[in-house]
Amino acid sequence: RMDQALLLVRNELPAPGLRLAARSGSCHQCLYQFLAFVPPSNGSLTKPGTASVMVDTQHPLTLMLNSSVGDRELCKIQYHFGEFGNYSLVVKALMANTETVSCELIINEGPINSYLPILFAFLVYMGILAVLIVGRLFMKIDPVRNWVYKKLNPRETDRLINSELGSPNTTDSINCDPAPHSWSTASRQRLHSLDTFRGLSLVIMVFVNYGGGKYWFFKHESWNGKLHFPSALFSRFVFIMGTSIALSLSSMLRWGSSKWKVLRKILWRSFLLILLGIIVVNPNYCLKSLSWDNLRIPGVLQRLGFTYLVVAGLELLFTRADSGTWEAPYPALQDILPYWPQWIFILMLEVIWLCLTFLLPVPDCPRGYLGPGGIGDFGKYPNCTGGAAGYIDRLLLGENHIYQHPSSSVTYQTTMPYDPEGILGTINSIVMAFLGLQAGKIILFYKDQHKQIMSRFVIWSILMGIISAILTKCSKEEGFIPINKNLWSISYVTTTGCFAFILLLLIYYLVDVKKLWSGAPFFYPGMNSILVYIGHEVFENYFPFKWKMQDSQSHAEHLTQNLTATTLWVLISYLLYRRRIFWKI
């Protein structure tokens, strides 16, 4: 199977038998897991005792061979097996009548290079990009451009649309001319970098949710771990939602909307997001009526909806229509000082998270436990998955109403249900959105001052990085608070916030400052993000997004299917954009 290799263990020792156990390199402080019993050779070198096992190839393994009598450790080998490889582990005595044992690993058949499909896919997409660049160069030729414009006849679009989580515009002055503008003028006014940022995160999220070619590095970390694509996607989506909140609320208030009217809109959007989320994460609605007995309550859209409600409500409570003209005694802090009550509120929320996480008594678990349970921590706390976060969800929501198959269930063999979108982690998603809100305020306060905006993005990125380094001690497992996406730990928020500021800085510079990139193709799904997200969840198992494979153990086929499905959603969002169809909430 994918991510597996065949290991044949040959026992040439006359007696006794051997016990083979293994531990994954990704499993921190885990118990060794029994794999096979290898019988003795009974003194015959021509017929050694043998046993065949499948071993994992995603991470390095530590193999341990113990004697079946007395459980004496004979040898220990650390090795990273290759996918579909065929290996032999030969165990024999170095000399006659000696207890010194030799364990030799032999490659019978080399593994395949499972990463070649990624290289091929990269070259294909680079080829498409090259064709588009050449086409754009041709468009600079007047006769070609005039002919294309006559055929396409583009219409005004940007003026008529709002992002479903905010309408980021740089022209927020109440004195702006509300009359229709040309296509090109509207495009220049809109901050395409925000839609591009959102669309980039969404496209990668869709690809990962569809399977990511079944590659291990496109899966979420089992528990604590370094950040890669899947681990940071949702947090970036939350971040840019906060940025859009700052700009959209400022725009609505400047155009004369009352706070009560804006509040009703915030409440309605939040309700719809939570309702849609409950429907999406309980797909049996297509087959039969939903049953409360096993209805999952938390989810991605639910957390987005509640986070949006809190952060947008907090911003509405303290924002002013003329906030851009406020004179601060310290100009360097003019995007912070006017909103000191908001910062106090966020700090109080974080204190609540810290107190609940580290002080709440959890039955049969150590106080402040942040581990995965299962076989982690040498199997001492098998039912403590998530510590206080898991306990609160099980207590308030019930075990049947949270996620039943957490990412820790494979590596750490946890049996307790745990929801990565649970109640306690929502506090830190609010903090993440508030960091995005701060990015939006920077754009508002330093409107059209590109150097100021980018320098403050850099400062915030450095600040978040320093906090992360302190909390984690620059270590995966040994920090005060490790980076953990399942828990949405504060170190996870500061680390992903650090990279979110950097990414927004780069996209803002390329798209809105230098205009070296239009934001395509990510700009289009970013304009219809809720439709694309819900659509890819609802139609996940339908053609043409999924089809029966000839070889379900092929990374190439899975990658082809997942990339095709993701590309189709990008094309759909582009067609919807051309036809001015936008699903707003």
Side-chain angles (χ1 to χ4, degrees):
R1 298 175 65 87
M2 283 189 300
D3 301 322
Q4 287 185 341
L6 176 65
L7 176 64
L8 174 67
V9 184
R10 294 166 51 93
N11 182 11
E12 297 182 2
L13 300 178
L18 304 176
R19 291 172 55 85
L20 176 66
R23 182 172 68 187
S24 171
S26 66
C27 199
H28 180 63
Q29 294 183 341
C30 287
L31 296 171
Y32 279 90
Q33 298 302 295
F34 174 76
L35 293 182
F37 173 78
V38 189
S41 66
N42 294 324
S44 173
L45 295 178
T46 58
K47 291 185 178 180
T50 61
S52 298
V53 294
M54 298 297 176
V55 292
D56 181 66
T57 62
Q58 298 180 64
H59 305 281
L61 287 182
T62 300
L63 300 176
M64 183 171 66
L65 279 167
N66 288 0
S67 170
S68 61
V69 177
D71 203 30
R72 181 171 67 92
E73 182 181 318
L74 300 178
C75 64
K76 186 183 291 185
I77 296 176
Q78 186 175 18
Y79 191 77
H80 196 165
F81 294 91
E83 191 172 18
F84 296 116
N86 189 319
Y87 302 85
S88 289
L89 179 60
V90 181
V91 184
K92 58 185 177 181
L94 288 177
M95 297 177 62
N97 300 323
T98 182
E99 293 185 355
T100 306
V101 174
S102 167
C103 296
E104 182 183 4
L105 191 65
I106 301 171
I107 301 176
N108 302 322
E109 184 179 344
I112 66 169
N113 188 343
S114 59
Y115 304 124
L116 286 178
I118 295 180
L119 175 61
F120 180 77
F122 175 78
L123 294 176
V124 169
Y125 278 93
M126 287 299 101
I128 295 174
L129 178 62
V131 170
L132 294 176
I133 292 175
V134 171
R136 188 170 183 177
L137 293 176
F138 272 107
M139 286 291 292
K140 293 183 178 181
I141 303 174
D142 290 340
V144 176
R145 183 174 64 251
N146 293 336
W147 181 83
V148 172
Y149 282 168
K150 287 180 180 179
K151 292 294 182 181
L152 295 180
N153 188 25
R155 296 182 177 182
E156 175 191 5
T157 298
D158 287 2
R159 185 183 63 85
L160 301 175
I161 59 180
N162 280 324
S163 170
E164 60 277 5
L165 294 179
S167 176
N169 291 302
T170 56
T171 54
D172 286 330
S173 173
I174 198 169
N175 295 321
C176 288
D177 181 11
H181 300 282
S182 67
W183 174 286
S184 59
T185 303
S187 299
R188 284 197 302 269
Q189 291 172 346
R190 186 176 179 87
L191 279 177
H192 283 197
S193 56
L194 304 191
D195 296 307
T196 303
F197 185 104
R198 185 189 298 117
L200 174 62
S201 301
L202 178 61
V203 168
I204 300 175
M205 184 186 295
V206 170
F207 172 68
V208 168
N209 288 349
Y210 276 152
K214 298 297 181 182
Y215 288 102
W216 66 268
F217 43 81
F218 287 132
K219 299 176 183 178
H220 295 292
E221 283 282 354
S222 297
W223 202 248
N224 298 335
K226 300 175 182 177
L227 291 178
H228 44 46
F229 276 142
S231 300
L233 293 175
F234 185 28
S235 63
R236 289 206 295 260
F237 209 79
V238 173
F239 178 89
I240 204 63
M241 180 181 72
T243 307
S244 297
I245 287 173
L247 302 177
S248 61
L249 292 189
S250 174
S251 177
M252 285 188 284
L253 292 176
R254 283 170 179 258
W255 281 91
S257 296
S258 68
K259 285 194 173 185
W260 285 110
K261 181 179 179 181
V262 176
L263 178 61
R264 287 195 297 270
K265 194 170 186 178
I266 291 172
L267 292 172
W268 178 244
R269 283 180 173 179
S270 303
F271 169 77
L272 286 181
L273 282 171
I274 294 172
L275 178 63
L276 289 171
I278 291 175
I279 294 174
V280 167
V281 299
N282 295 280
N284 287 337
Y285 65 86
C286 293
L287 306 176
K288 57 184 179 180
S289 59
L290 288 175
S291 170
W292 175 254
D293 294 338
N294 55 4
L295 182 78
R296 182 187 173 193
I297 298 176
V300 170
L301 290 179
Q302 295 93 307
R303 176 169 284 189
L304 279 176
F306 188 79
T307 301
Y308 177 81
L309 174 64
V310 174
V311 176
L314 186 65
E315 175 67 3
L316 180 64
L317 183 62
F318 294 101
T319 193
R320 298 188 303 271
D322 60 341
S323 58
T325 62
W326 190 83
E327 292 290 339
Y330 305 100
L333 301 176
Q334 64 174 323
D335 54 331
I336 299 176
L337 290 181
Y339 301 99
W340 62 267
Q342 293 180 345
W343 285 96
I344 291 178
F345 179 82
I346 293 298
L347 291 175
M348 289 176 59
L349 279 183
E350 194 53 42
V351 169
I352 292 173
W353 183 87
L354 291 170
C355 289
L356 289 175
T357 300
F358 291 102
L359 300 180
L360 181 70
V362 179
D364 302 320
C365 301
R367 190 165 295 187
Y369 182 70
L370 298 176
I375 63 174
D377 300 295
F378 305 111
K380 296 179 181 178
Y381 318 111
N383 297 323
C384 295
T385 303
Y391 175 66
I392 290 174
D393 289 341
R394 293 189 292 270
L395 181 66
L396 299 182
L397 302 177
E399 290 190 5
N400 294 332
H401 300 296
I402 60 178
Y403 193 47
Q404 301 296 308
H405 308 288
S407 58
S408 59
S409 62
V410 176
T411 301
Y412 289 94
Q413 299 182 20
T414 56
T415 57
M416 297 295 290
Y418 178 82
D419 207 307
E421 279 78 51
I423 296 173
L424 194 56
T426 303
I427 292 178
N428 281 338
S429 71
I430 292 171
V431 176
M432 186 69 186
F434 188 74
L435 292 177
L437 186 78
Q438 183 61 35
K441 290 176 182 176
I442 291 172
I443 294 173
L444 282 174
F445 275 92
Y446 300 97
K447 185 169 59 176
D448 299 327
Q449 301 177 47
H450 301 312
K451 289 185 178 180
Q452 287 282 358
I453 292 174
M454 292 187 292
S455 63
R456 294 189 75 81
F457 284 172
V458 170
I459 292 172
W460 275 99
S461 177
I462 294 173
L463 179 61
M464 292 296 104
I466 292 173
I467 295 175
S468 297
I470 294 172
L471 293 175
T472 64
K473 298 182 181 178
C474 298
S475 167
K476 177 181 177 181
E477 303 284 355
E478 306 303 327
F480 300 109
I481 304 177
I483 296 172
N484 191 299
K485 191 264 180 188
N486 285 284
L487 296 172
W488 267 72
S489 62
I490 185 60
S491 58
Y492 168 78
V493 169
T494 55
T495 305
T496 54
C498 168
F499 290 111
F501 275 108
I502 292 176
L503 182 60
L504 181 58
L505 164 66
L506 293 175
I507 296 178
Y508 177 76
Y509 178 77
L510 292 174
V511 175
D512 288 320
V513 178
K514 292 297 183 180
K515 304 192 184 301
L516 299 175
W517 178 30
S518 66
F522 306 112
F523 171 75
Y524 307 114
M527 298 290 292
N528 244 327
S529 56
I530 294 299
L531 185 148
V532 171
Y533 180 82
I534 293 179
H536 100 276
E537 289 277 4
V538 172
F539 297 104
E540 176 182 4
N541 295 316
Y542 295 90
F543 184 84
F545 306 103
K546 192 173 186 179
W547 58 83
K548 185 177 181 179
M549 299 182 184
Q550 292 184 349
D551 183 5
S552 62
Q553 300 304 314
S554 167
H555 280 293
E557 286 202 44
H558 281 282
L559 186 65
T560 300
Q561 186 179 88
N562 302 152
L563 285 175
T564 300
T566 305
T567 303
L568 282 174
W569 282 113
V570 174
L571 292 175
I572 289 171
S573 62
Y574 172 73
L575 293 175
L576 293 174
Y577 176 83
R578 296 296 303 178
R579 293 181 177 273
R580 297 187 296 169
I581 300 174
F582 302 94
W583 187 12
K584 298 183 297 179
I585 292 180

